[in-house]
C-alpha cells in the first residue's frame, strides 16, 4: 500500500513539473529519458535506446552532417558517389563482403541495408537485424565503424561504380527534375543550394580523379560531424560499452575545416519565371515566400509548429470545400507553411490550372488567402481541427510502445542533424494536451499576415512548352494588386447535423449460429440475413480495430459498355458523401471520430474495408451499413468531377510515361477490348444513372458477403453491434461468382521495339513472362524465390560488373484467379546504346539459372523470407490475412505446410527445375523502349 502511495506521489510531482515547464515556453525541449546519449572524446555522438516493439530485432544508423552542399565544383556529385562507395569495400569488409555477410543473416540490401544523400546530410542504415545472434550485433557496429572512417575507396571500385551512378543520373532526368533545374535558382536566390542537385554533374561523375573523392572523404567524413544510433531489443549498458570501446579509437581529424552554414541573401523585389517542358501535362502557378528559420529549439517553437499545423489544416479544408462544391476556379489548390532547405522555411501558395486559365486558377486561391487575412477563420473551424488533433494525440499516446526501431532512429536523426528534440511519449502527450486547447482563433487567423510578406517572393509558373498559354510577369503581378482591392465576404458555413444516420435505427438481425475457430482463436457467426462474420481479438496494435468484407463478382459481371461507368464508381462515389450528408458535411460531422469505411469495386470482387478505435466501433458499423443501404449519389458533384477529369486527361498524350503505359497495357492484354485507355472518349461514356445502378447492384445482397473483424475490442461489445448493423443489411439470397473475361497474355515469344519521343535519352528494357499453371503455395513461393535470386544475379552482373543500370527490378509470383498462372517481370533503365547488350545478359542469366542455382544465393533469399514471415506475425493485419486466406482459398496459413515446410525443404535443384520448366514454357514479351530522335 505504501508503495502505491509513493508511486502516486511521485507521479503527481512529475506531472506538476511538466505543467510548470509548459508555462515557460523559453525552456528547451527535453530529450527522451529512455535514450542513452553521449559524446566521445573524438567528437562522435551516440544514441542508444531499448525498444521491445520488435523482439530480437534492432536497427543501426550513422548520421553524417555532410551533403552535396559541401562540394566544390570539381566534386559536384561526389557526396552521393561517396555514399555508394560505402558499400564497395571497407577496412573490415573488402569488396562486397559486407553485403554478403549481412544477407547471410536475412538482412537484405536495398530494403534493410540502405543509404541516402541530400544537400545537407548523408544517412546509412542497417535495419531489422536479428540481434539474438550477439555476434551479428558486433558485426553491425563494426560496419558503422567502417562507414565512419575506414572506406577503402580503391580506384578499381571507384571506376566500377561510375557507370552505376551515371545510370542513376539518367533515371532521375524526368520532367519534374528539369523544371526544378529552371526555377530553383530563383527560389533559392542563386545561393549554393541552387547549384547542387545531389546527383551532380555527369562529366564529373565519369572523369573525376579518385584523389578528389578521397579528399572530400577526408575533409568531411569525420567524428565531429557524425552520430550513430542503435535502437531495438538490446541491452543499453552493454551496447554503450561496445560503442565506447570500438568508436573511441577513431581518430579525430586534425585542424578540421569549419562546416559552413549556407545563407541565402534576401531579395526585396519579387522574382518571376515560366518553366516549361515538352513532357509536362498541366499548368500550375506558385508563389513561394522564403523565410529564415532563426528560432531555437524551445517549447515556444514547438507550440508555433502546432499553430502552423492548425493553419495548414484549416486553409486546406477551405480550398477542398470549394473543389467539392464545384465552385473552384482551380483544379487543385494549396496554401501551406513548410520546409525548404536547412535554416529556411517557405510559405507556399499554389494553384493547378486548366490550359489557358492560369490567371483564374491562381486568383481563386489568392482570394481564399485574402479572405483569411481580412476576416480570419471561424471558431467552428478551429474547434474541429483542435478536436481532431487531440484525438490523434490520444491515439499516438496509446500506441507509444508500437513505434518501430526505424521510426525512432529517424526522430533521433532530426535531433542530431536538424536541432530538433525527441522528448519521449509522456512529455509529448502532456505538452500537446496542454497546448492544443490553448491555441486561439486570433493567433491562427493572423498566421497568414506573418508569412504573406513582400520580401523573398518568387512566382513560378510551370507547364507545357506551348506558345500563348502562360501568364506574363506583368499580368501575374497585376492580379496580385487586383485581388488585394477586391470586395471579399467572410467565410460562412451551413450548420450540419449531429447524427450520422440522422435518427434512423436499423431493425437489427439475429445471430443464428456461433462456431469457434479454435485454430485461429476466432469466432464465426452466421446471421439471419445470410451473412458470415468472423471475429478475432488481437491487440498487437492498441486501440485499433480493422474491418474487411468481400463478395465475388466485381466488374467481370458487366459488359464492355459499362466499363466507363464502373470507372466512375471507383473515381467519384467516395466523393459524393454518404446518407444525408455531402462530402463537406460528412467531414465536419466526423470531427473527433476515428471511424472510416470505404469500398472497392475490383475486377472479380467487391470489397469494403474500415478501421476505428474501439470507442468508435459502432460508428464504423454504421458507415458499413450505409455503404449498402444509404449510399449517396449527387448529379451536380458528378458533373463537376467529370469535368475536372476531362481537364486532367486533355494533355495526357504528351507524356512519355503515359504513351508507354498505354502501349504496354495494350500489348500485355492482347488488345482485349475490356482494357481501355483513359481518354476523353472514355470519360464521355461515363453515365451517372448507370453508375448508380451498378453500385446498388454490387452492394444489394449482404448474404453474398463475408465480413472479418480483427482488433483490440472484446467479443461482448462486437457481437450485439454486428447483429444490429450487419444483420440489418438487405439480402436477396442470390448466389453469384465472377466471370472469366479471358484477358489473356500474348502467346508465344515476342520481341518488340517501341520508339517514344522524350527529352532526355533513356531506354527501358522490359521482359514479361507468364505461364498458365494450377495455383499452389509451392509454385508461388518457388517463383518468388526464383525472382529474388535473379535480382541478386542481375545486381551483380548488370549493375556491379557492367555498371549498366542503377538497378534491375525483378518481380515474380503466382495468380490464383481467374486462372492459375506463374509470372515474372524484369525491368531496368539504361543508356540506349547499351540496351541490346544488357538485354542479352538478362537472357544469359535466365539460361544459366535453369541449370545452376548457387547455394549461397538460395540461403540469402530463404533467410530473408523467413525473417520477414516472423516479423509479420505480431500485427493485426497478419491475422486479418490468415482469416481471409482460409475463407477464400481454404488454406490454413498457420500450418507448417503453408510456408515453413516449403522454404525449409527447398533445394537449389528444386529452383533450377522450376526455373527450367517456367522459362522454357512461359509465354514471353521482350520489349526495348528507346527515344525517338529529333523530337
Amino acid at each position: 500500500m505504501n508503495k502505491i502511495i509513493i508511486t502516486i506521489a511521485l507521479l503527481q510531482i512529475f506531472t506538476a513539473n511538466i505543467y510548470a515547464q509548459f508555462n515557460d515556453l523559453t525552456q528547451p525541449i527535453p530529450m527522451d529519458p529512455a535514450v542513452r546519449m553521449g559524446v566521445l572524446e573524438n567528437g562522435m555522438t551516440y544514441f542508444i535506446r531499448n525498444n521491445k516493439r520488435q523482439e530480437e530485432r534492432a536497427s543501426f544508423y550513422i548520421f553524417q552532417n555532410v551533403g552535396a552542399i559541401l562540394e566544390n565544383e570539381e566534386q559536384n556529385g561526389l557526396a552521393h558517389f561517396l555514399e555508394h562507395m560505402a558499400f564497395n569495400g571497407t577496412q573490415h569488409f573488402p569488396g562486397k563482403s559486407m553485403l554478403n555477410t549481412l544477407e547471410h543473416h536475412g538482412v537484405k540490401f536495398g530494403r534493410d541495408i540502405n543509404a541516402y544523400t541530400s544537400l545537407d546530410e548523408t544517412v546509412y542504415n542497417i535495419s531489422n537485424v536479428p540481434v539474438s545472434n550477439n555476434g551479428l550485433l558486433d558485426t553491425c557496429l563494426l560496419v558503422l565503424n567502417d562507414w565512419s572512417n575506414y572506406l577503402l575507396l580503391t580506384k578499381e571500385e571507384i571506376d566500377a561504380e561510375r557507370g552505376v551512378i551515371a545510370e542513376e543520373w539518367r533515371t532521375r532526368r524526368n520532367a519534374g527534375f528539369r523544371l526544378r533545374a529552371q526555377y530553383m535558382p530563383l527560389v533559392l536566390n542563386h545561393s549554393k543550394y541552387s547549384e547542387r542537385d545531389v546527383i551532380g554533374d555527369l562529366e564529373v561523375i565519369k572523369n573525376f580523379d579518385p584523389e578528389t573523392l578521397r579528399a572530400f572523404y577526408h575533409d568531411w567524413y569525420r567524428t565531429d560531424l557524425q552520430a550513430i544510433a542503435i535502437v531495438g531489443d538490446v541491452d543499453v549498458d552493454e551496447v554503450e560499452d561496445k560503442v565506447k570501446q570500438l568508436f573511441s579509437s577513431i581518430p579525430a581529424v586534425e585542424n578540421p575545416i569549419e562546416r559552413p552554414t549556407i545563407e541565402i541573401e534576401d531579395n526585396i523585389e519579387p522574382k518571376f519565371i515560366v518553366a516549361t517542358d515538352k513532357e509536362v501535362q498541366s499548368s500550375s502557378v506558385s508563389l513561394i515566400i522564403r523565410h529564415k528559420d532563426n528560432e531555437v529549439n524551445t517549447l515556444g517553437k514547438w507550440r508555433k509548429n502546432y499553430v502552423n499545423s492548425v493553419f495548414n489544416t484549416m486553409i486546406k479544408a477551405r480550398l477542398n470545400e470549394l473543389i467539392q462544391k464545384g465552385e473552384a476556379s482551380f483544379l487543385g489548390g494549396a496554401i501551406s507553411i513548410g520546409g525548404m532547405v536547412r535554416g529556411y522555411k517557405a510559405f507556399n501558395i499554389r494553384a493547378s490550372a486548366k490550359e489557358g486559365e492560369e490567371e483564374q486558377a491562381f486568383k481563386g486561391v489568392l482570394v481564399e488567402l485574402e479572405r483569411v487575412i481580412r476576416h480570419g477563420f471561424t471558431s467552428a473551424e478551429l474547434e474541429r481541427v483542435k478536436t481532431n488533433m487531440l484525438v490523434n494525440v490520444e491515439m499516438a499516446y496509446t500506441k507509444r510502445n508500437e513505434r518501430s526501431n526505424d521510426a525512432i532512429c529517424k526522430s533521433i536523426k532530426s535531433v542530431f542533424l536538424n536541432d530538433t528534440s525527441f522528448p519521449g511519449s509522456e512529455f509529448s502527450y502532456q505538452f500537446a494536451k496542454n497546448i492544443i486547447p490553448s491555441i486561439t482563433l486570433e493567433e491562427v487567423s493572423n498566421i497568414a499576415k506573418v508569412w504573406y510578406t513582400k520580401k523573398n517572393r518568387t512566382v513560378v509558373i510551370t507547364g507545357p512548352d506551348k506558345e500563348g498559354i502562360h501568364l506574363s510577369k506583368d499580368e501575374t503581378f497585376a492580379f496580385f494588386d487586383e485581388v488585394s482591392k477586391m470586395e471579399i465576404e467572410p467565410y460562412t458555413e451551413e450548420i450540419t447535423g449531429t447524427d450520422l444516420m440522422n435518427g434512423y435505427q436499423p431493425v437489427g438481425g439475429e445471430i443464428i449460429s456461433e462456431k469457434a475457430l479454435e485454430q485461429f482463436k476466432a469466432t464465426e457467426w452466421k446471421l439471419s440475413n445470410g451473412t458470415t462474420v468472423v471475429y478475432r481479438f488481437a491487440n498487437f496494435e492498441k486501440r485499433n480495430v480493422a474491418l474487411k468484407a468481400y463478395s465475388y463478382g466485381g466488374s467481370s459481371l458487366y459488359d464492355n459498355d459499362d466499363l466507363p461507368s464502373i470507372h466512375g464508381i471507383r473515381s467519384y462515389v467516395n466523393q459524393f458523401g454518404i446518407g444525408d450528408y455531402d462530402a463537406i458535411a460528412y467531414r465536419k460531422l466526423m470531427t473527433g471520430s476515428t471511424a472510416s469505411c470505404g469500398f472497392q469495386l475490383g475486377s472479380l470482387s467487391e470489397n469494403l474495408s474500415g478501421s476505428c478505435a474501439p470507442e468508435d466501433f459502432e460508428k464504423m458499423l454504421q458507415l458499413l451499413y450505409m455503404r449498402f443501404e444509404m449510399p449517396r449519389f449527387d448529379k451536380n458533384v458528378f458533373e463537376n468531377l467529370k469535368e475536372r477529369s476531362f481537364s486532367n486527361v486533355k494533355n495526357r498524350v504528351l507524356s512519355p510515361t503515359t504513351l508507354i503505359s498505354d502501349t504496354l497495357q495494350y500489348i500485355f492484354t492482347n488488345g482485349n477490348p475490356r482494357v481501355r485507355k483513359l481518354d476523353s472518349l472514355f470519360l464521355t461514356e461515363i453515365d451517372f444513372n448507370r453508375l448508380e445502378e451498378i453500385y446498388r447492384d454490387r452492394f444489394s445482397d449482404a448474404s453474398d458477403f463475408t465480413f472479418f473483424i480483427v482488433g483490440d475490442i472484446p467479443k461482448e461489445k462486437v457481437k450485439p453491434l454486428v447483429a444490429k448493423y450487419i444483420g440489418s443489411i438487405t439480402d436477396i439470397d442470390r448466389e453469384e461468382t465472377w466471370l472469366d473475361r479471358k484477358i489473356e497474355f500474348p502467346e508465344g515469344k515476342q520481341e518488340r521495339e517501341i520508339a517514344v519521343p522524350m527529352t532526355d535519352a533513356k531506354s527501358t528494357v522490359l521482359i514479361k513472362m507468364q505461364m498458365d499453371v494450377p495455383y499452389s503455395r509451392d509454385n508461388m513461393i518457388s517463383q518468388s524465390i526464383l525472382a529474388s535470386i535473379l535480382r541478386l544475379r542481375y545486381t551483380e552482373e548488370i549493375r556491379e560488373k557492367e555498371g549498366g543500370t542503377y538497378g534491375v527490378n525483378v518481380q515474380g509470383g503466382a495468380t490464383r484467379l481467374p486462372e492459375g498462372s506463374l509470372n515474372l517481370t524484369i525491368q531496368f533503365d539504361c543508356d540506349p546504346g547499351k540496351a541490346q547488350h544488357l538485354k542479352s545478359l538478362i537472357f544469359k542469366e535466365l539460361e544459366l539459372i535453369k541449370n545452376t542455382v548457387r547455394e549461397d544465393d538460395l540461403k540469402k533469399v530463404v533467410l530473408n523470407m523467413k525473417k520477414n514471415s516472423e516479423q509479420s506475425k505480431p500485427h493485426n493485419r497478419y491475422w486479418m490475412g490468415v482469416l481471409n486466406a482460409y475463407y477464400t482459398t481454404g488454406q490454413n496459413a498457420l500450418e507448417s505446410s503453408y510456408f515453413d515446410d516449403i522454404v525449409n525443404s527447398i533445394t537449389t535443384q528444386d529452383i533450377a527445375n522450376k526455373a527450367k520448366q517456367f522459362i522454357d514454357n512461359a509465354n514471353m514479351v521482350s520489349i526495348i523502349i528507346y527515344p525517338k530522335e529529333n523530337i
Side-chain angles (χ1 to χ4, degrees):
M1 187 66 176
N2 290 337
K3 288 183 179 179
I4 294 174
I5 293 172
I6 292 170
T7 300
I8 293 173
L10 289 173
L11 181 60
Q12 289 173 338
I13 293 170
F14 174 71
T15 304
N17 287 337
I18 285 178
Y19 282 108
Q21 279 186 290
F22 295 163
N23 292 327
D24 181 4
L25 295 177
T26 65
Q27 292 294 310
I29 303 170
M31 189 66 179
D32 181 1
V35 175
R36 182 76 56 82
M37 177 181 172
V39 181
L40 303 176
E41 287 187 10
N42 59 15
M44 177 176 283
T45 305
Y46 64 84
F47 303 87
I48 309 166
R49 190 183 190 277
N50 180 267
N51 181 37
K52 295 289 189 183
R53 179 66 181 104
Q54 297 167 274
E55 290 186 5
E56 299 183 351
R57 296 288 186 270
S59 291
F60 301 77
Y61 279 69
I62 183 166
F63 314 126
Q64 311 261 11
N65 189 13
V66 179
I69 204 68
L70 301 178
E71 301 164 343
N72 59 36
E73 286 305 311
E74 66 176 2
Q75 296 169 336
N76 189 359
L78 297 197
H80 172 253
F81 201 110
L82 185 58
E83 171 223 310
H84 276 239
M85 293 308 300
F87 300 96
N88 289 286
T90 68
Q91 177 176 292
H92 296 96
F93 302 95
K96 301 298 187 295
S97 62
M98 175 197 300
L99 298 179
N100 288 332
T101 298
L102 293 171
E103 288 190 324
H104 278 125
H105 295 278
V107 185
K108 186 176 180 181
F109 178 56
R111 184 180 62 197
D112 301 323
I113 314 163
N114 218 325
Y116 73 84
T117 304
S118 68
L119 289 170
D120 274 301
E121 63 194 50
T122 305
V123 176
Y124 301 85
N125 70 285
I126 314 170
S127 301
N128 298 316
V129 177
V131 288
S132 52
N133 179 339
N134 193 53
L136 191 54
L137 186 151
D138 291 336
T139 297
C140 290
L141 290 177
L142 192 58
V143 171
L144 296 187
N145 181 74
D146 277 13
W147 279 341
S148 167
N149 195 60
Y150 302 107
L151 304 189
L152 295 181
L153 301 179
T154 66
K155 182 180 186 303
E156 294 75 18
E157 290 288 351
I158 290 171
D159 289 341
E161 197 68 17
R162 293 182 196 269
V164 175
I165 305 286
E167 291 309 316
E168 184 177 358
W169 182 95
R170 188 188 311 279
T171 298
R172 293 194 188 188
R173 252 57 186 176
N174 55 28
F177 186 96
R178 293 190 294 271
L179 288 176
R180 287 191 296 275
Q182 294 176 58
Y183 65 73
M184 286 309 292
L186 275 75
V187 172
L188 297 170
N189 201 15
H190 302 286
S191 66
K192 191 172 182 182
Y193 277 120
S194 68
E195 299 170 3
R196 294 289 177 264
D197 61 13
V198 179
I199 191 67
D201 183 279
L202 188 58
E203 289 304 310
V204 171
I205 292 166
K206 288 181 175 180
N207 300 305
F208 70 86
D209 187 313
E211 281 302 322
T212 306
L213 181 66
R214 294 173 190 138
F216 183 88
Y217 176 53
H218 175 78
D219 287 343
W220 300 116
Y221 269 43
R222 60 190 206 224
T223 49
D224 61 306
L225 298 178
Q226 295 172 336
I228 60 171
I230 301 98
V231 175
D233 190 5
V234 297
D235 182 314
V236 172
D237 292 333
E238 178 187 356
V239 172
E240 184 178 35
D241 288 341
K242 290 175 182 288
V243 165
K244 288 180 177 179
Q245 182 177 351
L246 181 62
F247 290 85
S248 293
S249 63
I250 300 173
V253 171
E254 296 182 7
N255 303 315
I257 303 170
E258 182 181 355
R259 204 285 193 199
T261 299
I262 306 301
E263 296 288 335
I264 305 175
E265 291 186 10
D266 290 339
N267 53 285
I268 305 304
E269 294 298 319
K271 296 178 179 292
F272 177 87
I273 186 172
V274 177
T276 63
D277 193 273
K278 293 178 180 179
E279 296 178 9
V280 173
Q281 301 177 46
S282 59
S283 295
S284 72
V285 185
S286 298
L287 171 61
I288 304 166
I289 306 176
R290 190 177 63 254
H291 286 260
K292 179 72 173 172
D293 184 11
N294 288 315
E295 290 189 89
V296 295
N297 191 36
T298 63
L299 296 179
K301 182 176 182 179
W302 196 5
R303 187 184 188 283
K304 283 185 179 180
N305 289 340
Y306 270 111
V307 176
N308 293 345
S309 178
V310 170
F311 170 83
N312 285 349
T313 303
M314 291 168 73
I315 194 69
K316 179 181 178 181
R318 282 204 182 176
L319 295 172
N320 287 343
E321 191 169 304
L322 286 174
I323 293 172
Q324 289 164 340
K325 287 181 176 178
E327 298 174 0
S329 57
F330 44 86
L331 291 175
I335 301 172
S336 65
I337 300 161
M340 196 175 214
V341 292
R342 185 179 288 184
Y344 292 86
K345 289 187 175 181
F347 190 51
N348 299 290
I349 306 159
R350 182 180 181 275
S352 55
K354 298 177 184 178
E355 186 173 302
E357 298 183 14
E358 291 172 351
E359 179 176 349
Q360 299 95 307
F362 196 63
K363 281 170 67 174
V365 175
L366 278 183
V367 164
E368 293 312 306
L369 176 60
E370 192 69 30
R371 196 186 312 278
V372 170
I373 291 172
R374 295 187 203 179
H375 305 293
F377 293 102
T378 67
S379 57
E381 290 176 289
L382 178 61
E383 290 310 310
R384 281 196 296 270
V385 173
K386 286 162 67 172
T387 298
N388 286 332
M389 289 181 79
L390 287 168
V391 168
N392 291 335
V393 165
E394 290 287 346
M395 289 293 289
Y397 184 67
T398 302
K399 298 173 181 291
R400 61 191 179 278
N401 295 322
E402 297 177 14
R403 293 193 71 187
S404 70
N405 298 330
D406 288 309
I408 294 172
C409 284
K410 287 169 185 174
S411 294
I412 291 173
K413 178 203 77 172
S414 293
V415 172
F416 179 70
L417 294 174
N418 304 113
D419 192 29
T420 63
S421 287
F422 181 45
S425 301
E426 187 63 43
F427 189 92
S428 299
Y429 173 66
Q430 297 296 344
F431 181 81
K433 284 186 66 178
N434 182 271
I435 290 300
I436 292 171
S438 75
I439 296 173
T440 67
L441 186 61
E442 181 180 13
E443 64 182 320
V444 179
S445 296
N446 286 332
I447 284 288
K449 297 176 186 177
V450 174
W451 288 83
Y452 191 53
T453 57
K454 296 291 186 183
K455 189 171 65 173
N456 296 329
R457 289 186 171 195
T458 305
V459 175
V460 177
I461 296 176
T462 63
D465 186 9
K466 293 182 179 180
E467 292 290 334
I469 68 168
H470 299 299
L471 289 167
S472 68
K473 180 177 181 179
D474 291 341
E475 289 171 329
T476 304
F477 289 170
F479 68 68
F480 278 100
D481 292 334
E482 180 185 342
V483 170
S484 69
K485 297 172 184 176
M486 290 173 60
E487 291 289 331
I488 300 174
E489 296 295 321
Y491 170 83
T492 59
E493 62 178 311
E494 299 177 4
I495 303 299
T496 61
T498 58
D499 178 57
L500 183 60
M501 298 184 70
N502 221 0
Y504 177 75
Q505 290 293 324
V507 175
E510 296 179 357
I511 294 177
I512 59 176
S513 71
E514 179 173 317
K515 180 173 69 174
L517 304 173
E518 298 290 351
Q519 67 271 45
F520 305 116
K521 297 182 181 179
T523 302
E524 177 193 273
W525 294 308
K526 293 288 188 181
L527 278 61
S528 53
N529 61 351
T531 57
T532 300
V533 180
V534 184
Y535 157 79
R536 189 192 194 278
F537 176 80
N539 63 349
F540 300 107
E541 282 96 33
K542 299 294 184 184
R543 295 186 65 223
N544 176 265
V545 184
L547 165 76
K548 288 191 181 296
Y550 77 91
S551 168
Y552 285 129
S555 63
S556 72
L557 302 182
Y558 300 92
D559 292 336
N560 294 0
D561 291 345
D562 284 326
L563 296 178
S565 297
I566 288 170
H567 172 82
I569 293 172
R570 295 165 177 157
S571 300
Y572 304 150
V573 172
N574 274 321
Q575 300 180 69
F576 292 158
I578 196 164
D580 294 332
Y581 302 100
D582 62 23
I584 299 166
Y586 170 72
R587 175 180 58 84
K588 296 174 181 177
L589 181 65
M590 295 296 287
T591 297
S593 175
T594 61
S596 67
C597 183
F599 77 92
Q600 302 84 36
L601 180 54
S603 58
L604 302 179
S605 65
E606 42 276 346
N607 308 273
L608 297 111
S609 59
S611 65
C612 66
E615 61 268 24
D616 291 324
F617 181 68
E618 181 170 10
K619 187 163 284 188
M620 181 180 70
L621 290 189
Q622 288 176 345
L623 289 170
L624 172 69
Y625 175 86
M626 295 172 78
R627 288 294 177 197
F628 285 90
E629 303 293 333
M630 303 168 67
R632 183 181 178 88
F633 297 90
D634 189 317
K635 185 68 177 291
N636 290 331
V637 174
F638 167 79
E639 295 293 348
N640 174 50
L641 292 171
K642 189 173 177 180
E643 177 60 31
R644 296 171 71 80
S645 297
F646 275 114
S647 298
N648 289 331
V649 304
K650 186 174 181 180
N651 291 321
R652 193 169 175 265
V653 72
L654 297 178
S655 166
T657 302
T658 301
L659 287 169
I660 292 168
S661 175
D662 289 344
T663 302
L664 295 180
Q665 178 179 261
Y666 182 85
I667 291 171
F668 293 144
T669 60
N670 239 348
N672 192 296
R674 289 187 69 82
V675 182
R676 293 177 56 181
K677 66 181 179 179
L678 182 61
D679 55 16
S680 295
L681 176 61
F682 184 84
L683 294 175
T684 301
E685 296 174 22
I686 300 176
D687 181 84
F688 177 76
N689 293 326
R690 186 58 180 150
L691 173 155
E692 181 176 351
E693 288 173 1
I694 295 172
Y695 177 93
R696 291 188 183 278
D697 180 46
R698 287 300 83 217
F699 296 95
S700 63
D701 184 12
S703 66
D704 203 34
F705 278 81
T706 301
F707 299 82
F708 303 95
I709 298 167
V710 175
D712 186 14
I713 185 169
K715 180 179 178 181
E716 56 268 22
K717 182 174 181 180
V718 173
K719 190 173 182 179
L721 293 174
V722 162
K724 178 178 180 180
Y725 291 103
I726 298 180
S728 293
I729 301 172
T730 301
D731 69 286
I732 56 178
D733 293 324
R734 69 181 177 188
E735 293 184 9
E736 61 180 9
T737 187
W738 45 268
L739 294 178
D740 185 355
R741 291 291 184 168
K742 301 298 182 183
I743 301 176
E744 297 177 340
F745 192 77
E747 292 186 356
K749 312 284 186 183
Q750 300 185 20
E751 291 198 24
R752 296 184 180 228
E753 293 185 354
I754 302 170
V756 175
M758 58 182 73
T759 302
D760 285 318
K762 176 177 69 175
S763 276
T764 298
V765 176
L766 175 59
I767 299 163
K768 199 171 185 67
M769 306 172 72
Q770 184 171 306
M771 181 175 74
D772 293 339
V773 61
Y775 175 86
S776 71
R777 287 289 301 169
D778 177 67
N779 280 337
M780 193 193 81
I781 292 172
S782 297
Q783 192 74 357
S784 179
I785 291 173
L786 171 62
S788 295
I789 291 174
L790 283 170
R791 197 177 302 119
L792 291 173
R793 304 298 306 128
Y794 292 142
T795 297
E796 181 177 327
E797 295 297 323
I798 296 180
R799 173 183 159 124
E800 302 298 339
K801 288 184 179 179
E802 289 283 329
T805 183
Y806 180 53
V808 181
N809 182 27
V810 186
Q811 299 294 328
T815 59
R816 188 174 63 88
L817 301 176
E819 292 181 333
S821 67
L822 295 175
N823 55 75
L824 185 72
T825 302
I826 304 166
Q827 182 175 349
F828 62 92
D829 295 336
C830 65
D831 182 331
K834 296 181 178 179
Q836 287 287 357
H837 169 63
L838 296 177
K839 190 177 93 166
S840 72
L841 297 183
I842 293 289
F843 284 104
K844 179 181 177 181
E845 287 298 326
L846 289 177
E847 287 300 311
L848 289 173
I849 206 167
K850 292 192 301 184
N851 300 305
T852 304
V853 175
R854 298 192 309 203
E855 186 70 42
D856 194 50
D857 287 344
L858 177 61
K859 182 180 178 181
K860 290 177 184 177
V861 170
V862 167
L863 280 172
N864 184 259
M865 291 177 72
K866 291 168 74 172
K867 186 191 76 168
N868 293 337
S869 176
E870 284 303 310
Q871 287 182 185
S872 71
K873 291 178 180 178
H875 294 279
N876 292 351
R877 64 180 177 272
Y878 169 79
W879 291 99
M880 182 69 81
V882 167
L883 294 171
N884 186 74
Y886 182 70
Y887 278 81
T888 55
T889 70
Q891 295 178 312
N892 184 348
L894 302 182
E895 293 179 349
S896 61
S897 59
Y898 190 80
F899 178 78
D900 292 336
D901 292 350
I902 298 172
V903 297
N904 287 333
S905 64
I906 206 157
T907 67
T908 55
Q909 191 59 52
D910 291 333
I911 297 299
N913 292 340
K914 295 275 188 181
K916 179 174 177 55
Q917 182 184 19
F918 175 77
I919 294 167
D920 287 347
N921 295 289
N923 297 309
M924 181 191 69
V925 179
S926 170
I927 296 173
I928 296 179
I929 298 165
Y930 61 90
K932 185 178 289 186
E933 295 180 357
N934 302 320
I935 64 170

